[in-house]
Amino acid sequence: MALGSLLLLSLLGAPGLGDPGPLEDVVIDRYYIPKMCLREVQMGDFIRYHYNGTFKDGKKFDSSYDRGATVAGVVGVGRLITGMDRGLQGMCVNERRHLIVPPHLGYGSIGVAGMIPPDATLYFDVILLDIWNKEDKLQITTLHKPERCNRTVENSDFVRYHYNGTLLDGTHFDSSYSKDSTYDTYVGTGWLIKGMDEGLLGMCAGEKRRIIIPPFLAYGEKGYGTVIPPQASLVFDVLLVDLHNPKDGISLEHLEVPAACKRKAVTGDFVRYHYNGTLMDGTLFDSSYSRNHTYDTYIGKGYVIPGMDQGLQGVCFGEKRRIIVPPHLGYGENGAGNKIPGSAVLIFDIHVIDFHNPLDSVEIETLSRPEGCNVTTQDRDFIRYHYNCSLLDGTKLFSSHDYNHPQDATLGTSKMIDGLNTGLLDMCIGEKRVIIIPPHLGHGENGARGVPGSAVLRFEVELLSREEGVPEGYLFIWHGDPPANLYEDMDLNKDGEIPREEFSTFIKAQLTEGKGRLMPSSDPEMVIADMFQNQDRNQDGKITAEELKLKSDEDQERIHEEL
């Protein structure tokens, strides 16, 4: 950075600043030059500076420091003594200079009454604090810009940003960081100084800028309080946290949509989904994953913030979606707790696990059905089937294949969830189905061991066999006619009474020999116990011939009525 002919016209070989001898021009000693100098003082510039003024003997005659205010003025237009006009030219902000001004470039042979005698050489120690020109415009430097930028600041937007504010010489005057809160305001509506209104336009959320504002676009001749002097240029390092417009609706990004989407969620549906919730700067404020539990709610009924009520409309099973919610559709100007600030834009990355409607019925899809099938499963039938059970997102829950044997059950006996019982009816042996079961026909809002609450279940089933069921109200049925002397045959030790042990042994023998069958059950012992209790009318732990005959007569009468 050369001095140039404008600055130093002649040093006259002066032996030193303390005793320069006769001078024709200003003597300049640039004893501190900052490493960075974006601009040098030229004629017509407005500047602010501090100085101490002394005579040759060191006696002080004036000081801006003593007055507690910087000096502001225009260079090169005759408002300063000629020596100061020349000595300030070419200076950088924060540069320090010693100036020796000869009398003819100072106050000459007249001096200043009571302050500066005639023909006085003046010594100035100057530091330049600010420089600007009335032709200046806003200076904007982008320090960081995010890769993704779907929207930039426009007039009438509401913005939240952090900032550090300094004067041009680096003097700190304010910071949002020290208040631990963003500065929140509208842009382009007169709520900000003009330079900041302009400097924020076009910014992305997450962008960092340095904005240098000349005084006439800042606080001008009046300054602001005790922290911003008159005619001060301002430097703001700004980080834009988020932005929105009061007219905004939600914004959707479809991150992953399943190829097959037979059904989309609508108002009144109950949705189970996982989510990560962040602010626009990426700060995580909540996550269902951290709780290892989906968020479960009705949509369109006001159970969640309006933005989510809207954002979940039309989702598919398994869909991943980003929902951007402006504050007036989120938690408003008050925020929520200590994690969601007031007027914050919220971003939800969601993954829909499943949804259903309380009016849903079982959905059945037949994958394959044998030809010529004219006999199908009915209530009370005993069946064997293989199954795979999963959630709608593909999470495996249970499978009969894991146990190397099929599942058996009796239809219509409340031994299985209602939805599966419905889905297994009217099946042919060898038929394969997919059965979708809403939670109110499955395990309900509480779920079951290994099954989440309010979960929609998907069963892949294959029917392996069926046996015609025992008629309603019966626990045992003979394949042929019962023995003519049933009581005598049942009384194994021929002592004239039949205790429970003999009864159980006899019935099991009939089953083994294929002479009859029980109502299919996962626990035959319980069925046999119920049979014994039904026969033992006086509950004395044994069956008499009269009890057996009476019960048989009743059964025959009922069979006759049913037939």
Side-chain angles (χ1 to χ4, degrees):
M1 200 177 304
L3 291 176
S5 59
L6 286 175
L7 299 179
L8 188 55
L9 300 181
S10 176
L11 292 178
L12 299 179
L17 290 176
D19 185 17
L23 296 176
E24 294 182 3
D25 206 344
V26 179
V27 176
I28 301 172
D29 176 16
R30 304 176 70 181
Y31 70 91
Y32 175 75
I33 302 174
K35 292 181 179 180
M36 292 189 63
C37 181
L38 300 178
R39 177 173 176 177
E40 296 178 344
V41 176
Q42 299 179 16
M43 292 180 64
D45 284 341
F46 288 80
I47 62 170
R48 285 192 313 110
Y49 61 96
H50 264 309
Y51 73 92
N52 282 316
T54 63
F55 300 117
K56 179 179 179 180
D57 61 3
K59 182 179 179 181
K60 185 187 298 183
F61 64 83
D62 193 16
S63 172
S64 62
Y65 296 99
D66 293 344
R67 293 194 298 274
T70 55
V71 178
V74 182
V75 176
V77 295
R79 296 182 183 180
L80 301 171
I81 59 173
T82 304
M84 187 63 81
D85 253 349
R86 295 182 181 180
L88 292 171
Q89 290 187 45
M91 284 192 79
C92 304
V93 172
N94 285 326
E95 181 177 345
R96 294 176 180 268
R97 288 184 177 184
H98 288 305
L99 306 178
I100 303 176
V101 180
H104 65 281
L105 297 179
Y107 294 96
S109 58
I110 298 175
V112 177
M115 180 182 291
I116 298 174
D119 298 319
T121 298
L122 305 179
Y123 294 74
F124 292 95
D125 191 1
V126 181
I127 178 171
L128 186 68
L129 303 177
D130 201 343
I131 176 176
W132 57 278
N133 193 287
K134 62 183 179 180
E135 303 297 328
D136 282 350
K137 297 180 180 179
L138 211 62
Q139 297 180 53
I140 298 175
T141 304
T142 300
L143 306 176
H144 169 74
K145 193 164 188 174
E147 292 182 4
R148 288 174 53 88
C149 183
N150 296 331
R151 175 177 175 179
T152 61
V153 176
E154 299 176 0
N155 281 324
S156 80
D157 282 344
F158 189 88
V159 296
R160 297 194 311 119
Y161 62 93
H162 272 302
Y163 70 89
N164 283 317
T166 64
L167 305 179
L168 204 58
D169 67 341
T171 301
H172 173 84
F173 66 80
D174 196 15
S175 174
S176 62
Y177 295 98
S178 64
K179 303 180 184 69
D180 197 28
S181 177
T182 54
Y183 191 83
D184 307 341
T185 188
Y186 287 95
V187 175
T189 57
W191 288 34
L192 294 165
I193 58 175
K194 291 183 179 179
M196 190 60 85
D197 257 346
E198 295 179 20
L200 292 170
L201 292 176
M203 285 193 78
C204 305
E207 183 176 344
K208 293 181 180 180
R209 279 185 180 180
R210 176 164 295 154
I211 305 171
I212 302 177
I213 304 174
F216 55 85
L217 295 177
Y219 294 98
E221 296 179 355
K222 295 182 178 180
Y224 187 83
T226 59
V227 294
I228 299 178
Q231 302 290 20
S233 300
L234 306 180
V235 180
F236 289 94
D237 284 339
V238 176
L239 168 61
L240 186 66
V241 175
D242 71 20
L243 70 150
H244 76 278
N245 194 283
K247 298 179 181 179
D248 284 349
I250 62 169
S251 177
L252 298 180
E253 296 180 31
H254 301 278
L255 305 178
E256 185 178 316
V257 181
C261 182
K262 296 180 180 179
R263 173 177 173 180
K264 296 181 179 181
V266 297
T267 293
D269 283 344
F270 190 86
V271 184
R272 296 195 314 121
Y273 62 96
H274 271 302
Y275 71 90
N276 283 320
T278 63
L279 305 179
M280 284 194 80
D281 65 355
T283 301
L284 181 72
F285 63 80
D286 195 17
S287 174
S288 63
Y289 296 98
S290 66
R291 295 186 290 274
N292 197 30
H293 193 287
T294 54
Y295 191 85
D296 308 338
T297 187
Y298 288 95
I299 63 170
K301 292 190 171 186
Y303 287 93
V304 290
I305 58 175
M308 286 298 285
D309 253 350
Q310 296 176 22
L312 289 167
Q313 296 282 340
V315 293
C316 302
F317 295 133
E319 180 175 348
K320 293 182 179 180
R321 177 181 286 192
R322 176 168 293 152
I323 306 171
I324 302 175
V325 181
H328 51 276
L329 296 176
Y331 293 97
E333 60 185 15
N334 295 322
N338 58 3
K339 291 188 175 181
I340 300 179
S343 300
V345 177
L346 308 179
I347 299 177
F348 292 92
D349 283 343
I350 67 162
H351 179 203
V352 177
I353 303 302
D354 64 33
F355 59 86
H356 73 281
N357 193 281
L359 300 178
D360 284 349
S361 57
V362 174
E363 180 183 338
I364 299 173
E365 178 186 358
T366 299
L367 302 180
S368 64
R369 186 178 176 101
E371 295 183 1
C373 172
N374 53 17
V375 178
T376 60
T377 54
Q378 306 295 323
D379 270 339
R380 310 294 298 176
D381 281 355
F382 176 71
I383 63 171
R384 287 186 173 85
Y385 61 98
H386 269 306
Y387 72 90
N388 291 313
C389 176
S390 64
L391 302 179
L392 289 191
D393 68 346
T395 301
K396 179 181 174 181
L397 298 180
F398 313 106
S399 175
S400 60
H401 299 281
D402 293 340
Y403 305 103
N404 297 318
H405 61 79
Q407 180 71 31
D408 56 46
T410 302
L411 296 175
T413 57
S414 302
K415 296 294 184 179
M416 65 177 72
I417 57 176
D418 291 343
L420 184 56
N421 192 95
T422 299
L424 289 168
L425 291 173
D426 196 33
M427 285 190 76
C428 300
I429 295 174
E431 183 175 343
K432 295 180 180 180
R433 286 181 176 180
V434 171
I435 306 169
I436 306 297
I437 302 174
H440 51 276
L441 298 175
H443 292 286
E445 63 182 15
N446 295 321
R449 184 176 181 181
V451 179
S454 300
V456 179
L457 301 179
R458 183 181 190 273
F459 280 86
E460 294 178 356
V461 299
E462 178 184 4
L463 185 65
L464 303 178
S465 66
R466 64 170 291 277
E467 297 178 23
E468 187 175 346
V470 175
E472 182 71 29
Y474 286 85
L475 300 178
F476 180 89
I477 188 168
W478 295 98
H479 286 165
D481 292 330
N485 299 312
L486 180 59
Y487 190 83
E488 288 78 1
D489 289 352
M490 195 175 293
D491 182 12
L492 301 179
N493 61 5
K494 310 303 180 184
D495 62 354
E497 57 185 34
I498 304 171
R500 178 172 175 174
E501 291 76 13
E502 280 187 338
F503 181 85
S504 178
T505 300
F506 176 81
I507 293 297
K508 289 179 180 178
Q510 307 311 303
L511 296 174
T512 301
E513 296 170 9
K515 295 180 179 180
R517 68 180 185 275
L518 292 174
M519 178 192 76
S521 169
S522 58
D523 191 350
E525 293 289 347
M526 290 184 63
V527 176
I528 293 173
D530 287 343
M531 291 173 61
F532 181 82
Q533 189 172 4
N534 288 340
Q535 299 289 337
D536 183 13
R537 288 202 163 221
N538 60 10
Q539 303 297 302
D540 60 356
K542 57 187 177 182
I543 299 173
T544 65
E546 290 74 16
E547 288 174 330
L548 184 63
K549 180 178 184 304
L550 180 60
K551 186 68 175 176
S552 297
D553 290 344
E554 290 177 353
D555 290 344
Q556 291 298 326
E557 182 178 350
R558 184 168 55 158
I559 291 172
H560 178 75
E561 290 175 352
E562 290 177 352
L563 292 175

